[in-house]
Amino acid sequence: MKVIDHINKATSTLFSFEILPPLKGKKIDSIYESIDYLIEFAPHFINVTYHREEYLYKKRDGGYLEKVAIRKRPGTVGICTAIINKYKVDAIPHLICGGFTKEETENALIDLQYLGIDNVLALRGDPIKTEATFVPKENGHAYAVDLVNQIENMNKGIYLNEETQSAHSDFCIGVAGYPEKHFEAPNFSTDLKFLKAKIDAGADYIVTQLFYDNDKFFKFREACKNAGINVPIIPGLKPISSKKQLTALPKIFNIDIPEQLSDALLKAKDDKEAAAIGVEWGINQAKELIKNSVPCLHFYTMGKSEAVRNIVKAVY
Ligand code: FAD
């Protein structure tokens, strides 16, 4: 079922979460363990992230270094299908522009269609570690809006090879939004214009970057409304689970930690205490967001299902 139909049918705030595929070579059981922790709360959908290739230099005989491309976390689509079969819950693959030509994207979408997957989260992807800025693959997409256009075209039966008479797909398309602005955007308003372009291209809903200050989310939601963005906006939440994250999260996700939360975390004597503070903050955030009628709470689990479980248990 489409995310948008889940939202339209709902009489209260929905719950969803996001997982990462296991590291290459690890079993899928770790994924099932994370989901088993949360499944009793009847999530309406589960997102599975996509991880593109990274480049490593391997030492070869004679002292040469060979550049090798590896994908540390493959298996996004396989995991989605496994989740749908095992739990009968909608699973949403993340699809990125990075590393894909348009044709490879089309083929990936055709696979998703055959597998009965109704939803896609369309993203650009970050620059790979060895690149300063995002570089699209030759004949690939430079921005998420271009990917949304391609999916929307397929939904109308327009494939890359126009001579092919093709059955139209029917994907529900999600895109990313940034309450604290995307790190590359020159300013908040320009970022919002590009977000609107994704909606105008056919995206059905927005999932936000994680944030810890609800006021920033409410301002973002209001700014979206004023900009003519009328699709559901799903807030993304991630409980802080260690003292280290106080500096790691702002660096990785380009977000602020509110002073009240950072003061509390700085005083925490160990990670156990920090995690308890993170859960308490998450519960308060979730309660206020529900009170303010968000369509769904989306949790980034990042391998920490227990903290998410404690928050969900307190608010549902
Ligand atoms: P875009 O919407 O393309 O925006 C990227 C930047 O370009 C922004 O600064 C925007 O303002 C600007 N921009 C947009 N259009 C134009 C234009 N036409 N001209 C000039 N500038 C423009 N990454 C992964 O690799 N895998 C994942 O599974 C994944 N999941 C995510 C899930 C969520 C909910 C979120 C919020 C992010 C996720 N990401 C993931 C990270 C995401 O790929 C990065 O944040 C990436 O840097 C931007 O992706 P985007 O889709 O927002 O890009």
Side-chain angles (χ1 to χ4, degrees), residues 1 3-12 14:
M1 184 167 153
V3 166
I4 199 71
D5 293 334
H6 280 294
I7 291 174
N8 289 338
K9 264 182 56 185
T11 50
S12 56
L14 306 179

Side-chain angles (χ1 to χ4, degrees), residues 60-272:
R60 297 294 184 220
D61 288 349
Y64 291 110
L65 290 176
E66 189 191 352
K67 190 177 176 187
V68 195
I70 56 153
R71 281 189 61 208
K72 287 188 179 164
R73 293 181 186 272
T76 302
V77 175
I79 289 169
C80 283
T81 315
I83 291 172
I84 294 170
N85 286 336
K86 186 170 160 75
Y87 297 98
K88 316 291 175 226
V89 174
D90 283 300
I92 306 178
H94 292 189
L95 189 62
I96 64 169
C97 304
F100 283 82
T101 63
K102 291 173 197 165
E103 193 174 10
E104 285 162 350
T105 298
E106 185 170 272
N107 292 336
L109 288 164
I110 290 169
D111 277 344
L112 297 183
Q113 212 184 340
Y114 289 154
L115 289 166
I117 290 175
D118 301 321
N119 303 280
V120 177
L121 191 71
L123 302 147
R124 187 197 69 179
D126 280 325
I128 50 175
K129 281 181 189 145
T130 42
E131 286 171 351
T133 53
F134 177 82
V135 180
K137 193 165 177 181
E138 198 180 335
N139 198 28
H141 295 305
Y143 295 107
V145 65
D146 306 320
L147 176 56
V148 174
N149 270 317
Q150 184 175 4
I151 304 170
E152 190 57 15
N153 272 341
M154 264 185 72
N155 280 350
K156 292 179 186 143
I158 305 165
Y159 285 60
L160 295 174
N161 176 359
E162 285 173 26
E163 283 155 33
T164 313
Q165 288 293 314
S166 308
H168 70 86
S169 56
D170 193 17
F171 290 111
C172 174
I173 310 167
V175 289
Y178 302 83
E180 298 180 56
K181 182 183 98 58
H182 183 261
F183 71 101
E184 291 167 19
N187 56 62
F188 183 82
S189 308
T190 305
D191 203 23
L192 210 62
K193 279 182 201 151
F194 290 132
L195 177 58
K196 175 134 187 332
K198 294 193 272 192
I199 307 307
D200 292 346
D204 299 286
Y205 69 99
I206 296 165
V207 185
T208 77
Q209 181 61 281
L210 52 95
F211 60 90
Y212 294 93
D213 182 345
N214 282 355
D215 283 345
K216 289 194 174 163
F217 173 79
F218 296 136
K219 280 187 190 143
F220 170 72
R221 191 169 69 167
E222 193 59 26
C224 285
K225 199 173 139 202
N226 293 336
I229 296 173
N230 295 313
V231 297
I233 303 177
I234 300 176
L237 300 175
K238 185 214 144 11
I240 287 192
S241 56
S242 69
K243 289 192 79 160
K244 207 173 63 190
Q245 289 183 348
L246 195 56
T247 46
L249 293 173
K251 190 172 163 207
I252 300 169
F253 298 104
N254 300 282
I255 48 133
D256 275 352
I257 309 268
E259 196 178 346
Q260 198 189 338
L261 178 56
S262 62
D263 282 350
L265 288 165
L266 285 167
K267 280 183 207 143
K269 63 174 188 299
D270 54 23
D271 279 350
K272 198 173 165 211

